[in-house]
Coordinates of all heavy atoms in Angstrom, one line a residue:
V55 N -9.7 15.2 9.4 CA -10.5 13.9 9.2 C -9.5 12.8 9.1 O -8.4 12.9 8.5 CB -11.4 14.0 8.0 CG1 -12.6 14.9 8.2 CG2 -10.6 14.4 6.7
T56 N -9.9 11.6 9.6 CA -9.0 10.4 9.5 C -9.8 9.2 9.0 O -11.0 9.1 9.1 CB -8.4 10.1 10.9 OG1 -9.5 9.8 11.8 CG2 -7.5 11.2 11.4
K57 N -9.0 8.3 8.4 CA -9.6 7.1 7.9 C -8.5 6.0 7.9 O -7.6 6.1 7.1 CB -10.1 7.2 6.5 CG -10.9 6.0 6.0 CD -11.4 6.3 4.6 CE -12.2 5.1 4.0 NZ -12.6 5.4 2.6
G58 N -8.5 5.1 8.9 CA -7.4 4.2 9.1 C -6.2 4.9 9.5 O -6.1 5.7 10.4
L59 N -5.1 4.7 8.7 CA -3.8 5.4 8.9 C -3.8 6.8 8.2 O -2.7 7.5 8.2 CB -2.7 4.5 8.5 CG -2.5 3.2 9.3 CD1 -1.4 2.4 8.6 CD2 -2.2 3.5 10.7
Q60 N -4.8 7.1 7.5 CA -4.8 8.4 6.7 C -5.3 9.5 7.5 O -6.1 9.4 8.4 CB -5.7 8.2 5.5 CG -5.4 7.0 4.6 CD -6.4 6.7 3.5 OE1 -6.2 7.2 2.4 NE2 -7.4 6.0 3.9
E61 N -4.8 10.7 7.1 CA -5.2 11.9 7.8 C -5.2 13.1 6.9 O -4.2 13.3 6.2 CB -4.3 12.1 9.1 CG -4.6 13.3 9.9 CD -3.7 13.4 11.1 OE1 -2.5 14.0 10.9 OE2 -4.0 13.0 12.2
L62 N -6.2 14.0 7.0 CA -6.2 15.2 6.2 C -6.6 16.4 7.1 O -7.6 16.3 7.9 CB -7.2 15.1 5.0 CG -6.8 14.3 3.8 CD1 -8.0 14.2 2.8 CD2 -5.6 15.0 3.1
Y63 N -5.9 17.5 6.9 CA -6.2 18.7 7.6 C -7.0 19.6 6.7 O -6.5 19.9 5.6 CB -4.9 19.4 8.1 CG -5.1 20.7 8.8 CD1 -5.7 20.7 10.1 CD2 -4.6 21.9 8.3 CE1 -5.8 21.9 10.8 CE2 -4.8 23.1 9.0 CZ -5.4 23.0 10.2 OH -5.5 24.2 10.9
L64 N -8.2 20.0 7.0 CA -9.1 20.7 6.1 C -9.0 22.2 6.2 O -10.0 22.9 6.6 CB -10.6 20.2 6.3 CG -10.8 18.7 6.3 CD1 -12.2 18.3 6.5 CD2 -10.2 18.1 5.0
H65 N -7.9 22.7 5.8 CA -7.8 24.2 5.7 C -8.5 24.7 4.4 O -8.5 24.0 3.4 CB -6.3 24.5 5.6 CG -6.0 26.0 5.7 ND1 -6.1 26.8 4.5 CD2 -5.7 26.8 6.7 CE1 -5.8 28.1 4.9 NE2 -5.5 28.1 6.2
P66 N -9.1 25.8 4.5 CA -9.9 26.3 3.3 C -9.1 26.7 2.1 O -9.7 27.0 1.1 CB -10.6 27.6 3.9 CG -9.8 28.0 5.1 CD -9.3 26.7 5.6
M67 N -7.8 26.5 2.1 CA -7.0 26.7 0.9 C -6.4 25.4 0.5 O -6.0 25.3 -0.7 CB -5.9 27.8 1.2 CG -6.5 29.2 1.4 SD -5.1 30.4 1.6 CE -4.5 30.4 -0.1
N68 N -6.2 24.5 1.4 CA -5.5 23.2 1.1 C -6.1 22.1 2.0 O -6.0 22.3 3.2 CB -4.0 23.2 1.3 CG -3.3 24.3 0.4 OD1 -3.2 24.1 -0.8 ND2 -2.9 25.4 1.0
F69 N -6.5 21.0 1.5 CA -6.7 19.8 2.3 C -5.5 19.0 2.2 O -5.1 18.4 1.2 CB -7.9 19.0 1.8 CG -9.3 19.7 1.9 CD1 -10.4 19.1 1.2 CD2 -9.4 20.8 2.6 CE1 -11.6 19.8 1.3 CE2 -10.7 21.5 2.7 CZ -11.7 20.9 2.0
S70 N -4.7 18.9 3.3 CA -3.4 18.3 3.2 C -3.2 17.2 4.2 O -3.7 17.2 5.3 CB -2.3 19.4 3.4 OG -2.4 20.0 4.7
G71 N -2.4 16.2 3.9 CA -2.1 15.1 4.8 C -1.5 13.9 4.1 O -1.2 14.0 2.9
V72 N -1.3 12.8 4.8 CA -0.8 11.6 4.2 C -1.9 10.6 4.0 O -2.6 10.3 4.9 CB 0.2 11.0 5.2 CG1 0.8 9.7 4.6 CG2 1.4 12.0 5.4
I73 N -2.1 10.2 2.7 CA -3.2 9.3 2.4 C -2.7 8.3 1.4 O -1.7 8.4 0.8 CB -4.4 10.1 1.9 CG1 -4.1 10.7 0.5 CG2 -4.9 11.1 2.9 CD1 -5.3 11.4 -0.2
Q74 N -3.6 7.2 1.2 CA -3.3 6.2 0.2 C -3.5 6.8 -1.2 O -4.4 7.5 -1.4 CB -4.2 5.0 0.4 CG -4.0 4.3 1.7 CD -5.1 3.2 2.0 OE1 -5.3 2.8 3.1 NE2 -5.8 2.8 0.9
L75 N -2.6 6.4 -2.1 CA -2.8 6.8 -3.4 C -4.1 6.5 -4.1 O -4.7 7.2 -4.8 CB -1.6 6.3 -4.3 CG -0.3 7.1 -4.3 CD1 0.7 6.5 -5.2 CD2 -0.5 8.5 -4.6
D76 N -4.5 5.2 -3.7 CA -5.8 4.8 -4.4 C -7.0 5.5 -3.8 O -8.1 5.2 -4.3 CB -5.9 3.2 -4.3 CG -5.9 2.7 -2.9 OD1 -5.9 3.5 -1.9 OD2 -5.9 1.5 -2.7
E77 N -6.9 6.3 -2.8 CA -8.0 7.1 -2.3 C -8.2 8.4 -3.0 O -9.3 9.0 -2.9 CB -7.8 7.3 -0.8 CG -8.0 6.2 0.1 CD -9.4 6.0 0.6 OE1 -10.3 6.7 0.1 OE2 -9.7 5.2 1.5
I78 N -7.2 8.9 -3.7 CA -7.2 10.2 -4.2 C -8.3 10.5 -5.2 O -9.0 11.5 -5.2 CB -5.8 10.6 -4.8 CG1 -4.8 10.6 -3.7 CG2 -5.9 11.9 -5.6 CD1 -3.4 10.8 -4.2
S79 N -8.5 9.6 -6.2 CA -9.5 9.8 -7.2 C -10.9 9.8 -6.6 O -11.7 10.6 -7.1 CB -9.4 8.7 -8.3 OG -9.6 7.4 -7.7
G80 N -11.1 9.0 -5.6 CA -12.4 8.9 -4.9 C -12.7 10.3 -4.2 O -13.8 10.8 -4.2
I81 N -11.7 10.8 -3.5 CA -11.8 12.1 -2.9 C -12.1 13.2 -3.9 O -13.0 14.0 -3.7 CB -10.6 12.4 -2.0 CG1 -10.4 11.4 -0.9 CG2 -10.6 13.8 -1.5 CD1 -9.1 11.5 -0.1
Q82 N -11.3 13.2 -4.9 CA -11.6 14.2 -6.0 C -13.0 14.2 -6.5 O -13.6 15.2 -6.8 CB -10.6 14.0 -7.1 CG -9.2 14.4 -6.8 CD -8.3 14.2 -8.0 OE1 -8.0 13.1 -8.4 NE2 -7.8 15.3 -8.6
E83 N -13.5 13.0 -6.6 CA -14.9 12.8 -7.2 C -15.9 13.4 -6.2 O -16.8 14.1 -6.7 CB -15.1 11.3 -7.4 CG -16.4 11.0 -8.3 CD -16.2 11.6 -9.7 OE1 -15.1 11.6 -10.2 OE2 -17.3 12.0 -10.2
F84 N -15.8 13.0 -4.9 CA -16.9 13.6 -4.0 C -16.7 15.1 -3.7 O -17.6 15.8 -3.4 CB -17.1 12.7 -2.8 CG -16.0 12.8 -1.7 CD1 -15.8 13.9 -1.0 CD2 -15.3 11.6 -1.4 CE1 -14.8 13.9 0.0 CE2 -14.3 11.6 -0.4 CZ -14.1 12.8 0.3
L85 N -15.5 15.6 -3.9 CA -15.3 17.0 -3.7 C -15.9 17.8 -4.8 O -16.2 19.0 -4.6 CB -13.8 17.3 -3.6 CG -13.1 16.9 -2.4 CD1 -11.6 17.3 -2.4 CD2 -13.7 17.4 -1.1
K86 N -16.2 17.2 -6.0 CA -16.9 17.9 -7.0 C -18.3 18.3 -6.7 O -18.9 19.2 -7.3 CB -16.9 17.0 -8.3 CG -15.6 16.7 -8.9 CD -15.7 15.8 -10.1 CE -14.4 15.6 -10.8 NZ -14.5 14.6 -11.9
K87 N -18.9 17.7 -5.6 CA -20.2 18.0 -5.2 C -20.3 19.2 -4.4 O -21.4 19.7 -4.1 CB -20.8 16.8 -4.4 CG -20.8 15.4 -5.1 CD -21.2 14.3 -4.2 CE -21.2 13.0 -4.9 NZ -21.5 11.9 -4.0
A88 N -19.2 19.8 -4.0 CA -19.2 20.9 -3.1 C -19.7 22.2 -3.8 O -19.4 22.4 -5.0 CB -17.8 21.2 -2.6
D89 N -20.4 23.0 -3.1 CA -20.9 24.3 -3.5 C -20.1 25.5 -2.9 O -20.0 26.5 -3.6 CB -22.4 24.5 -3.2 CG -23.3 23.5 -3.9 OD1 -23.0 23.3 -5.1 OD2 -24.2 22.9 -3.3
S90 N -19.6 25.3 -1.7 CA -18.9 26.4 -1.0 C -17.5 26.5 -1.3 O -16.8 27.4 -0.9 CB -19.1 26.2 0.5 OG -18.5 25.0 1.0
F91 N -16.9 25.5 -2.1 CA -15.5 25.6 -2.5 C -15.3 24.7 -3.7 O -16.2 23.9 -4.1 CB -14.6 25.1 -1.3 CG -14.8 23.7 -0.9 CD1 -14.1 22.6 -1.5 CD2 -15.7 23.3 0.1 CE1 -14.2 21.3 -1.2 CE2 -15.9 22.0 0.4 CZ -15.2 21.0 -0.2
R92 N -14.1 24.8 -4.3 CA -13.8 24.0 -5.4 C -12.4 23.5 -5.3 O -11.5 24.2 -4.9 CB -13.9 24.8 -6.7 CG -13.6 24.0 -8.0 CD -14.0 24.8 -9.2 NE -13.1 25.9 -9.4 CZ -11.9 25.8 -10.1 NH1 -11.5 24.7 -10.6 NH2 -11.1 26.9 -10.2
C93 N -12.2 22.2 -5.6 CA -10.8 21.6 -5.6 C -10.4 21.7 -7.1 O -10.9 21.1 -8.0 CB -10.9 20.1 -5.2 SG -9.3 19.2 -5.4
Y94 N -9.3 22.5 -7.2 CA -8.8 22.7 -8.6 C -7.5 22.0 -8.9 O -6.9 22.2 -10.1 CB -8.6 24.2 -8.8 CG -7.6 24.9 -8.0 CD1 -6.2 25.0 -8.4 CD2 -7.9 25.4 -6.7 CE1 -5.3 25.6 -7.6 CE2 -7.0 26.1 -5.9 CZ -5.7 26.2 -6.4 OH -4.7 26.8 -5.6
G95 N -6.9 21.2 -8.0 CA -5.7 20.5 -8.3 C -5.2 19.7 -7.2 O -5.7 19.8 -6.0
V96 N -4.3 18.7 -7.4 CA -3.7 17.9 -6.4 C -2.2 17.8 -6.6 O -1.8 17.6 -7.7 CB -4.3 16.4 -6.4 CG1 -3.7 15.6 -5.3 CG2 -5.8 16.4 -6.4

Side-chain angles (χ1 to χ4, degrees):
V55 289
T56 59
K57 185 178 181 182
L59 297 173
Q60 305 173 95
E61 181 177 82
L62 281 174
Y63 180 67
L64 306 184
H65 187 276
M67 294 183 70
N68 300 289
F69 293 169
S70 62
V72 179
I73 64 172
Q74 295 173 200
L75 275 184
D76 58 6
E77 286 271 9
I78 292 174
S79 59
I81 293 173
Q82 287 179 292
E83 193 62 34
F84 71 69
L85 290 182
K86 291 178 181 177
K87 302 175 183 177
D89 294 318
S90 62
F91 65 89
R92 182 172 69 87
C93 176
Y94 64 89
V96 183

